Amino acid sequence: MTAAARTGAAEAGPRVTDHRGGVWSIAVPIPDNPLGHTLVHLLETDRGPVLVDTGWDDPDAWDTLTAGITACGFDVTDLHGVLITHHHPDHHGLSARVREASGAWIALHAADADVVRRTREAEPGRWLDYLIAKLTAAGAPDGHLAPLRAARADGRARGLPGQRAALPDREITAGALLDLPGRRLRAVWTPGHTPGHVCLHLEEDHPARRPGHGRLFSGDHLLPGISPHIGLYEDPDDATPTDPLGDYLASLDHVARLAPAEVLPAHQHAFTDARGRVRELLAHHEERLAGLRALLAVPRTPWQLAEAMEWNRPWERIPYGSRNIAVSEAEAHLRHLVRRGLAEAVPGSEPVTYRAV
């Protein structure tokens, strides 16, 4: 039975899609997450199959991944390598287990490898201290800070996520043609969602002869129906100001110029017209920036700005942890407005409030 036929097999099996030309996707579940799954891609090479991302470190996710590899006609022990688009746990989570089972190498951009290394080496409580300080500076109320302070006092920082993430064996270098015999896969550095996010451009004719330039494994950078989270790059030991939203917008322009025939993202589904999707995302962020600037007609802290922003649900219904993510996104947009000269900090305010210019 072919992989394409297996795709339509009983629902109990893994959801595998044959994209043709030696490319498959496996829908690997994410526990308790509205995204539902990560699309892990398998790319056949002359030295054996290579994965693009791996999925969340979870027993069900592992079982689905290995069953999906089998449905593609391979065994997990056949894997030659793992290419990680970025360090987030729904992409990098199972990398160590894949390497242990197969001996495959793991490749990651240096900027995200640094994040993994810092997280693994951080003293217990270091990230909680940093998060408490950041949220305090953003104007978070005492009621939000109290559980974090209690966790710090009780020593509950030892189980923070990311401390078991695998360190890579290889570096993905921007612009490099990757060492995959029989394939032409080029790394495209697309910072924004993370500092080291990469897309992977398969510089080969589309198997269906669609117009455009090859296919793009886009990770979380370019998704067909949602915009990825753009927050601040977090480094407790480096206070150098960054502009993640500015990085993301520039990276979108870069991808649009590639003009791939098809995009194979890590969530939702494959799609065409990358340039059209880039235009939609650029317009979305310009609209969001204009809305935030209007909100800053009244000086606000980053926390107050996040409370006033429009999300997919009312602020009072946003879960506790998701509020931290929302504030980080508000700060990233604020920082970009300041960079453009459209907002400024109010002198002497504590915590710092911002206003439109």
Side-chain angles (χ1 to χ4, degrees):
M1 183 184 292
T2 66
R6 279 190 290 265
T7 302
E11 291 186 5
R15 200 183 98 196
V16 174
T17 302
D18 186 350
H19 297 281
R20 301 172 58 191
V23 177
W24 293 263
S25 62
I26 306 164
V28 177
I30 309 173
D32 302 318
N33 189 294
L35 281 174
H37 59 264
T38 300
L39 292 174
V40 172
H41 290 91
L42 186 147
L43 176 67
E44 193 172 6
T45 81
D46 289 349
R47 284 191 192 156
V50 168
L51 294 183
V52 177
D53 294 331
T54 60
W56 195 278
D57 186 5
D58 173 80
D60 288 342
W62 172 254
D63 290 346
T64 301
L65 176 64
T66 54
I69 292 169
T70 300
C72 294
F74 303 98
D75 186 83
V76 69
T77 58
D78 297 327
L79 292 172
H80 171 57
V82 178
L83 297 163
I84 301 299
T85 60
H86 61 294
H87 71 81
H88 287 166
D90 56 323
H91 298 259
H92 187 36
L94 282 171
S95 298
R97 193 162 180 185
V98 168
R99 181 167 59 189
E100 181 181 352
S102 64
W105 45 260
I106 300 170
L108 184 67
H109 188 279
D112 273 18
D114 285 345
V115 176
V116 173
R117 192 171 293 106
R118 286 198 308 269
T119 305
R120 287 172 60 98
E121 296 174 355
E123 290 293 323
R126 179 76 173 98
W127 283 99
L128 265 182
D129 288 341
Y130 178 72
L131 181 58
I132 291 167
K134 287 286 291 181
L135 288 169
T136 300
D142 286 339
H144 186 85
L145 296 171
L148 295 172
R149 290 170 176 155
R152 182 68 179 94
D154 296 345
R156 283 181 273 145
R158 295 180 182 273
L160 288 177
Q163 293 180 323
R164 295 192 303 163
L167 288 170
D169 309 289
R170 300 185 180 187
E171 180 180 326
I172 297 177
T173 304
L177 196 63
L178 301 178
D179 182 19
L180 301 177
R183 310 307 300 238
R184 283 190 61 85
L185 189 69
R186 192 175 301 278
V188 183
W189 184 36
T190 50
H193 184 54
T194 71
H197 190 290
V198 293
C199 294
L200 301 164
H201 190 201
L202 192 59
E203 297 177 338
E204 301 170 9
D205 290 340
H206 192 283
R209 304 300 181 191
R210 288 177 176 161
H213 304 289
R215 290 183 279 182
L216 187 74
F217 299 102
S218 66
D220 281 1
H221 179 68
L222 195 62
L223 302 170
I226 55 177
S227 175
H229 165 68
I230 308 297
L232 296 182
Y233 302 149
E234 305 292 1
D235 183 352
D237 301 316
D238 187 355
T240 304
T242 56
D243 181 14
L245 182 58
D247 292 344
Y248 178 66
L249 299 177
S251 298
L252 284 176
D253 281 333
H254 187 178
V255 165
R257 289 194 297 274
L258 295 177
E262 187 176 27
V263 180
L264 302 173
H267 302 289
Q268 298 188 304
H269 54 81
F271 62 101
T272 57
D273 192 15
R275 284 176 168 170
R277 182 60 183 141
V278 165
R279 286 194 297 271
E280 290 174 355
L281 286 164
L282 291 172
H284 163 76
H285 283 286
E286 287 302 321
E287 183 179 343
R288 197 160 181 79
L289 287 165
L292 267 61
R293 188 164 180 247
L295 289 172
L296 292 174
V298 177
R300 301 176 192 263
T301 65
W303 182 276
Q304 290 168 336
L305 185 62
E307 285 182 311
M309 288 169 65
E310 187 173 319
W311 304 100
N312 61 359
R313 68 190 84 178
W315 180 259
E316 59 273 11
R317 290 174 49 201
I318 295 178
Y320 178 89
S322 297
R323 292 187 181 192
N324 298 336
I325 297 172
V327 172
S328 180
E329 187 160 325
E331 288 192 277
H333 282 73
L334 255 178
R335 189 170 292 182
H336 192 64
L337 283 172
V338 171
R339 286 282 179 100
R340 287 190 179 185
L342 300 175
E344 65 181 7
V346 176
S349 56
E350 184 65 36
V352 179
T353 60
Y354 293 82
R355 64 190 176 197
V357 175

